[in-house]
Amino acid sequence: MKKTFMFLMIAIGISSVAFGQTPTSKDSKVEAQIIALEKAGWEAWKNKNAAWFQTNLADEALQVGGAGVLNKSQIVKTAGTDCEVKSFSLDDFKFLMLDKNSALIAFTGKQDGVCGGNTIPAKVYSTSVYVKRGGKWLNALYTETADQGTPVANQSGSSAEQAIRQTMTELFGALNRGDADAAGRIYTDDYQIVAENGKTTTKAQRLDAMRSGALRSSVAFDNLRVRQYGSTAIATYRVTGRSNALGTEQEINSLATVTLINNGGRWQVVSSHLTKADGN
């Protein structure tokens, strides 16, 4: 269930201590059941088996990924229809029992194939939330982050724009869930952002603020335009939503100019400059 990968999940801030807990025998049994379900979901996606998702997703299920946010009916309708998956594997599972009727797993997914004519990211980090309803475990939410961004070698024109759009989608997803590690893979080491008030923030400062919780956001971008100059690209777009920095919440309605580079086969963000949109 996904344009880039399958099956529902959401990045939830769970401490490494919690993931390091030794599961009880009861938890181990649930863990085995849920891992088996996750693998079955990926197999159903590979085989375009929409009926599996109809039966094994919670009614409120959501998929969050490169295709945006899809609800259950959209997932069932589109299950793998525009994808040709040759193979996949799931490993490095981490399990946490949230309560007796809900559990979470995080894992690494690898896949070979295409969706919508675009190569699927070879490696993603995924998280799934499951809920127990009527004695049966159901997948309720899925999200994923690509490990290496979107390959861009030999891209030009619309294909490069699609790759950059995917990179920005992954970045905004990381910002909204407070995933500093995922954002850090997209920013170059010398990244900096210039805010509307002229204040400059470095990559290290921005990621530290995300990790501490001092910076939280719920933002989206639209009206993306891309101009490519060889291995460099300039992207402009509008940013809207809300941001909370050091306890002060504010509405965001800005125009962004972002510089990206093709660094070893992936787009990374070098700098961002924000300007208040008209009416602010």
Side-chain angles (χ1 to χ4, degrees):
M1 356 191 260
K2 53 189 183 258
K3 209 115 182 161
T4 50
F5 253 161
M6 11 199 139
F7 212 114
L8 312 115
M9 334 189 259
I10 193 165
I12 292 180
I14 303 296
S15 71
S16 59
V17 174
F19 271 144
Q21 292 174 343
T22 301
T24 64
S25 57
K26 181 179 180 181
D27 287 351
S28 296
K29 182 178 179 180
V30 173
E31 179 180 9
Q33 292 175 339
I34 288 178
I35 289 176
L37 278 171
E38 189 70 42
K39 291 179 177 179
W42 282 56
E43 188 68 33
W45 186 266
K46 178 177 180 289
N47 296 327
K48 301 179 175 61
N49 181 6
W52 189 94
F53 296 101
Q54 182 65 55
T55 302
N56 291 279
L57 301 187
D59 289 342
E60 73 277 20
L62 294 175
Q63 169 194 325
V64 183
V69 180
L70 304 180
N71 60 30
K72 179 177 179 177
S73 63
Q74 292 170 320
I75 296 164
V76 172
K77 182 179 180 180
T78 62
T81 54
D82 66 344
C83 296
E84 295 299 330
V85 180
K86 298 178 182 178
S87 63
F88 71 86
S89 64
L90 312 182
D91 55 34
D92 195 26
F93 283 98
K94 297 179 176 63
F95 172 80
L96 183 66
M97 198 81 184
L98 301 176
D99 59 40
K100 65 179 182 180
N101 291 315
S102 61
L104 176 150
I105 55 170
F107 60 93
T108 300
K110 298 178 182 178
Q111 179 170 287
D112 178 23
V114 296
C115 278
N118 296 316
T119 301
I120 299 172
K123 183 178 181 180
V124 296
Y125 300 108
S126 302
T127 308
S128 279
V129 173
Y130 286 80
V131 294
K132 193 173 186 180
R133 303 275 170 78
K136 180 178 180 179
W137 286 99
L138 301 172
N139 192 298
L141 194 60
Y142 166 97
T143 193
E144 67 182 14
T145 300
D147 178 48
Q148 293 295 330
T150 305
V152 297
N154 300 320
Q155 288 182 334
S156 62
S158 61
S159 62
E161 181 170 343
Q162 290 174 356
I164 290 172
R165 181 180 296 277
Q166 176 64 27
T167 296
M168 299 312 300
T169 298
E170 293 166 5
L171 176 59
F172 272 69
L175 296 175
N176 288 338
R177 64 179 183 268
D179 189 340
D181 291 338
R185 289 190 290 269
I186 297 173
Y187 293 141
T188 61
D189 290 342
D190 57 352
Y191 169 81
Q192 65 176 17
I193 179 172
V194 180
E196 296 95 329
N197 61 4
K199 181 180 179 180
T200 298
T201 303
T202 66
K203 173 181 178 177
Q205 291 169 331
R206 189 166 179 80
L207 298 186
D208 286 347
M210 290 175 65
R211 291 189 177 100
S212 69
L215 175 63
R216 301 189 303 276
S217 61
S218 178
V219 289
F221 72 92
D222 60 17
N223 199 27
L224 176 72
R225 293 184 173 90
V226 175
R227 299 188 302 278
Q228 185 182 8
Y229 306 96
S231 60
T232 301
I234 306 296
T236 59
Y237 51 85
R238 180 184 290 264
V239 185
T240 56
R242 301 188 69 83
S243 177
N244 191 314
L246 298 175
T248 301
E249 187 168 318
Q250 60 178 336
E251 291 282 349
I252 302 296
N253 185 12
S254 303
L255 301 177
T257 301
V258 173
T259 302
L260 305 98
I261 60 170
N262 174 357
N263 186 7
R266 56 177 174 149
W267 288 112
Q268 285 188 288
V269 179
V270 178
S271 67
S272 306
H273 192 113
L274 302 179
T275 304
K276 286 192 175 182
D278 291 343
N280 276 300

